[in-house]
Amino acid sequence: LHCEMVRLTPEALLRCTCESRSDFEILHRKCQFRVVEEGFSELDRMVVTGDLTLIREALETLLDNAVKYSFAYTTIEIGATAINNPRGFELYVENVGIAIEKEELDRLEERGFRSPNTRGVVAGGSGIGLWVVAGIMRTLGGRFIPTLTTPDHHTRMRLWFPVQAGDSTT
């Protein structure tokens, strides 16, 4: 993959996120989409780099999965936050829907893996979306971090970006 790494600014990443949200709002009426803007400003306090085209690809893959596995007429949330340990910045997509089981968590990045919980519920899907997201994040020097579904059916998928060495901002 060719990368054009640039310093991520709150404005650029928020614009990328809002454009992705708008595309999905047009295509998918079964869910609502909400961007939580507050966390994006954290980027002003750190040096984080990424390729906006690849980030958008990863984000839209997460949104596509969120739509597929969300309960009808729920809200899919997109947001960002600074992380202290390890120090970095996260972009996340959170939905309310079909649960990810604990024993599946480590397999989500496997090419071709589909949860048995989703096979009879969701048409289509090849099991490569999260594998692609994980590859994009490795290319960007970051990580894809799926989280276990909460008891109230919330699942958060996280794109973690490291703070660059030599960043003296606090």
Side-chain angles (χ1 to χ4, degrees):
L1 290 175
H2 171 72
C3 289
E4 188 175 322
M5 300 292 277
V6 297
R7 181 174 180 173
L8 299 178
T9 65
E11 299 79 19
L13 192 56
L14 186 57
R15 182 175 50 256
C16 173
T17 301
C18 289
E19 288 170 357
S20 294
R21 179 208 57 210
S22 294
D23 292 347
F24 274 79
E25 283 177 333
I26 292 167
L27 296 171
H28 303 284
R29 301 280 184 199
K30 107 174 192 180
C31 295
Q32 294 182 13
F33 298 85
R34 181 170 81 97
V35 175
V36 180
E37 296 184 17
E38 293 81 31
F40 288 86
S41 63
E42 297 292 328
L43 276 174
D44 277 337
R45 298 183 358 200
M46 56 184 63
V47 176
V48 176
T49 61
D51 178 299
L52 286 169
T53 301
L54 291 176
I55 291 169
R56 184 169 180 160
E57 181 69 30
L59 178 61
E60 290 185 359
T61 301
L62 293 182
L63 287 171
D64 186 57
N65 270 15
V67 168
K68 286 178 188 172
Y69 305 121
S70 287
F71 297 145
Y73 309 109
T74 57
T75 299
I76 296 170
E77 183 176 287
I78 311 157
T81 187
I83 302 296
N84 288 325
N85 191 17
R87 191 160 180 245
F89 183 80
E90 288 184 351
L91 188 59
Y92 67 84
V93 173
E94 184 173 311
N95 71 302
V96 180
I98 298 171
I100 295 172
E101 304 295 334
K102 185 176 182 177
E103 57 275 3
E104 299 171 336
L105 206 54
D106 291 336
R107 298 198 60 206
L108 293 177
E109 293 182 31
E110 288 179 22
R111 182 182 183 145
F113 176 76
R114 289 195 68 209
S115 168
N117 293 344
T118 65
R119 290 187 187 138
V121 178
V122 178
S126 60
I128 64 166
L130 297 181
W131 174 74
V132 168
V133 169
I136 288 171
M137 292 310 295
R138 282 191 299 275
T139 298
L140 297 176
R143 291 188 357 222
F144 164 62
I145 306 171
T147 59
L148 195 58
T149 305
T150 64
D152 59 348
H153 299 281
H154 287 257
T155 302
R156 183 176 280 198
M157 299 288 173
R158 302 161 32 204
L159 304 175
W160 179 83
F161 301 87
V163 173
Q164 297 301 303
D167 179 11
S168 61
T169 58
T170 56

